[in-house]
């Protein structure tokens, strides 16, 4: 759902890794820019077999884990004490996932590794390990505490879905006769306690339940005026248009098309009655429009989706107003500004579009979570320092050697 528009939470990624680690290894998607290329070298074999963990573990992290007792409290987030075991799992899983990605990119001749810059501030992947681990824990706690504050409880169907996923994981990993004890033992090998395993399993369900509680399944609890205000603030417009194409035309013929566009615009602008203007617009659209992608009720979109000339002209119109002919690379557009509605689907150029109501609710839910995150103060235990990954891994990726 569009509520997942908010920044992708790291904990969602690592939650999937718990399942991947137990169910077996899958080949990651090849980046689009290298899909057509042959690997420059064969990927190196990993020290840990896929059937054991499903991940590529940077060797040496077991030395890091041994530095602290699993139950030692290494940080407090809000009022919640975080044991070393939980901190280390998110640190470890992030490192394992990145190591796998590094090897994949290197196999296609792309130089990337722990010392590669990962953000605009120049931090390397290794330097971001600690901050990202902390942020992941904060995000997990933020959703759990928000659910508690909202009085959110999972439905029977959701609880059953969690149990069903649990049973399927056991079967996939250990067969029909597999046991919960076998699963927990396997999870221990990737530093996941049973308690953390269940918290991660419940995370996405709690996330969805918090959204539903605040805004409804698809934002239907959000006031329509709030949605319309969000759409206007974000430059969303609703328009229909008539395109007079000038594609591949000689200059004289193109001038004739420009004159036709001017004639259509003049006729429509001369009509004072809004309903009459709309009816005539649709008749002329049926007769002259040469945009094969035109939909019946036009387009609802924001900045950056259509060509600049088209968007700027659309934004400048009042509701019900007809534009002068707008010249673009496609030809001449006669644009009609339409009223916005909260449930209008906003065209983004992606495969799936969502309504203004869903976008607005998603943004408000994002703010709700951000406020919760900001309220969670992080305090590290005295004497605990964020690990430097490069002090513990035995071998850096080829790009760093």
């Amino acid at each position: 759902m569009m509520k997942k528009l908010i920044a992708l939470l790291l904990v969602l990624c690592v939650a999937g890794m718990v399942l991947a680690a137990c169910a077996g290894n899958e080949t990651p998607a090849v980046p689009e820019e290298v899909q057509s290329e042959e690997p420059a070298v064969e990927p190196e074999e990993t020290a840990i077999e896929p059937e054991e963990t499903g991940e590529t573990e940077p060797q040496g992290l077991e030395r890091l884990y041994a530095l602290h007792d699993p139950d030692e409290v290494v940080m407090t987030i809000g009022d919640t004490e975080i044991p070393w075991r939980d901190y280390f799992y998110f640190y470890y899983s992030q490192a394992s996932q990145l190591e796998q990605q590094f090897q994949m990119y290197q196999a296609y001749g792309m130089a990337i590794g722990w010392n590669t810059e990962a953000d605009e501030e120049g931090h390397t992947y290794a330097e971001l390990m600690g901050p990202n681990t902390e942020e992941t824990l904060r995000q997990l706690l933020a959703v759990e505490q928000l659910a508690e504050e909202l009085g959110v409880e999972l439905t029977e169907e959701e609880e059953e879905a969690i149990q069903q996923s649990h049973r399927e994981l056991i079967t996939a990993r250990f067969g029909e006769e597999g046991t919960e004890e076998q699963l927990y033992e396997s999870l221990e090998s990737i530093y996941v306690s049973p308690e953390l395993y269940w918290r991660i399993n419940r995370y996405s369900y709690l996330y969805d339940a918090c959204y539903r509680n605040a805004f409804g399944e698809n934002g239907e609890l959000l006031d329509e005026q709030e949605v319309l205000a969000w759409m206007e603030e974000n430059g969303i417009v609703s328009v229909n248009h008539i395109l007079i194409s000038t594609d591949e035309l000689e200059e004289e013929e193109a001038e004739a098309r420009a004159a036709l566009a001017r004639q259509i615009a003049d006729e429509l602008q001369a009509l004072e009655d809004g309903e009459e203007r709309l009816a005539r617009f649709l008749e002329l659209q049926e007769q002259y429009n040469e945009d094969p992608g035109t939909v019946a009720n036009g387009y609802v979109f924001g900045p950056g989706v259509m060509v600049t000339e088209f968007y700027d002209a659309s934004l400048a119109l009042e509701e019900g107003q007809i534009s002068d002919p707008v010249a673009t690379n496609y030809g001449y557009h006669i644009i009609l500004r339409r009223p916005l509605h909260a449930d209008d689907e906003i065209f983004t150029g992606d495969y799936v579009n969502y309504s203004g109501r869903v976008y607005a609710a998603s943004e408000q839910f994002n703010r709700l979570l951000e406020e919760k995150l900001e309220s969670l103060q992080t305090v590290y235990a005295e004497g605990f320092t964020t690990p430097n990954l490069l002090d513990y891994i035995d071998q850096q990726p080829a790009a760093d050697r």
Side-chain angles (χ1 to χ4, degrees):
M1 293 303 302
M2 198 55 208
K3 45 187 171 289
K4 300 281 173 59
L5 270 179
I6 75 167
L8 286 177
L9 304 181
L10 289 173
V11 72
L12 288 177
C13 299
V14 294
M17 290 182 65
V18 170
L19 304 182
C22 295
N25 193 30
E26 293 185 3
T27 303
V30 177
E32 289 184 7
E33 62 269 27
V34 298
Q35 283 181 353
S36 61
E37 301 177 12
E38 291 297 324
V41 295
E42 289 297 322
E44 298 178 6
E45 292 187 5
T46 60
I48 295 184
E49 295 298 325
E51 60 267 26
E52 293 179 11
T53 68
E55 299 179 43
T56 302
E57 178 182 2
Q59 296 304 288
L61 284 183
E62 67 279 356
R63 292 190 291 115
L64 173 59
Y65 185 64
L67 290 181
H68 300 274
D69 183 275
D71 295 321
E72 177 185 342
V73 175
V74 297
M75 65 193 304
T76 302
I77 299 177
D79 297 327
T80 303
E81 294 180 336
I82 307 298
W84 172 241
R85 176 192 291 110
D86 291 357
Y87 180 95
F88 183 81
Y89 166 68
F90 288 112
Y91 191 95
Y92 160 86
S93 61
Q94 179 188 178
S96 299
Q97 187 179 46
L98 284 171
E99 183 75 11
Q100 188 177 18
Q101 293 296 316
F102 293 161
Q103 291 194 12
M104 179 193 68
Y105 278 94
Q106 290 164 20
Y108 284 88
M110 302 174 68
I112 183 172
W114 291 111
N115 286 325
T116 303
E117 291 186 2
D119 64 13
E120 294 180 355
E121 286 73 36
H123 297 109
T124 66
Y125 284 101
E127 291 170 337
L128 291 175
M129 285 290 298
N132 286 347
T133 299
E134 176 189 330
E135 188 60 21
T136 300
L137 285 159
R138 287 166 52 81
Q139 290 168 354
L140 176 61
L141 284 168
V143 170
E144 291 176 336
Q145 292 187 15
L146 182 61
E148 185 176 353
E149 292 174 8
L150 294 175
V152 167
E153 293 184 1
L154 299 185
T155 64
E156 290 183 6
E157 291 78 9
E158 288 167 330
E159 294 286 4
E160 175 54 31
I162 293 171
Q163 292 295 329
Q164 180 64 25
S165 295
H166 174 64
R167 291 191 294 268
E168 289 174 355
L169 180 57
I170 293 174
T171 301
R173 185 69 177 87
F174 305 104
E176 293 293 339
E177 301 301 321
T179 65
E180 194 170 61
E181 288 70 26
Q182 287 177 299
L183 175 62
Y184 290 157
E185 183 178 347
S186 178
L187 290 173
E188 285 292 336
S189 72
I190 56 168
Y191 312 101
V192 182
S193 66
E195 178 188 4
L196 183 58
Y197 164 75
W198 285 108
R199 288 174 66 192
I200 290 173
N201 279 349
R202 293 174 63 83
Y203 171 83
S204 63
Y205 289 94
L206 284 176
Y207 183 100
D208 289 345
C210 287
Y211 179 93
R212 285 199 311 271
N213 181 282
F215 302 107
E217 184 66 35
N218 293 295
E220 59 270 15
L221 299 182
L222 195 60
D223 180 75
E224 181 154 351
Q225 293 308 311
E226 289 184 83
V227 179
L228 293 176
W230 178 89
M231 295 173 82
E232 291 175 5
E233 289 169 7
N234 285 273
I236 306 299
V237 294
S238 175
V239 303
N240 208 337
H241 81 137
I242 299 170
L243 171 64
I244 305 301
S245 176
T246 58
D247 188 35
E248 298 182 354
L249 296 182
E250 298 293 336
E251 182 178 351
E252 183 177 342
E253 193 173 359
E255 290 177 354
R257 306 290 280 170
L260 173 60
R262 179 73 266 176
Q263 176 187 327
I264 293 172
D266 287 344
E267 178 183 346
L268 291 170
Q269 289 172 346
L271 299 173
E272 297 183 1
D273 181 77
E275 291 186 4
E276 183 182 358
R277 188 186 309 123
L278 174 60
R280 182 56 179 156
F281 176 92
L282 294 175
E283 290 175 355
L284 293 171
Q285 184 183 55
E286 179 70 23
Q287 183 176 356
Y288 292 109
N289 183 45
E290 295 174 300
D291 178 4
T294 299
V295 294
N297 295 317
Y299 303 98
V300 181
F301 61 98
V305 178
M306 303 295 191
V307 293
T308 301
E309 301 91 337
F310 187 88
Y311 175 72
D312 289 347
S314 299
L315 192 63
L317 294 172
E318 298 292 335
E319 186 178 306
Q321 188 178 3
I322 298 289
S323 73
D324 289 330
V326 177
T328 72
N329 291 335
Y330 300 98
Y332 294 95
H333 308 259
I334 299 92
I335 304 171
L336 167 65
R337 179 76 179 261
R338 303 290 301 272
L340 285 170
H341 302 286
D343 293 311
D344 285 342
E345 286 195 356
I346 299 176
F347 177 70
T348 62
D350 295 330
Y351 291 109
V352 180
N353 300 314
Y354 297 92
S355 71
R357 186 181 298 281
V358 173
Y359 278 100
S362 297
E363 185 170 294
Q364 287 205 23
F365 187 56
N366 191 25
R367 285 201 297 268
L368 195 63
L369 280 178
E370 287 176 349
E371 290 171 2
K372 171 51 63 178
L373 281 167
E374 290 172 2
S375 73
L376 296 176
Q377 182 180 5
T378 300
V379 179
Y380 284 91
E382 185 176 355
F384 178 80
T385 56
T386 301
N388 179 358
L389 178 73
L390 298 183
D391 289 341
Y392 296 97
I393 59 176
D394 293 335
Q395 191 175 27
Q396 298 176 38
D400 291 340
R401 294 201 293 269

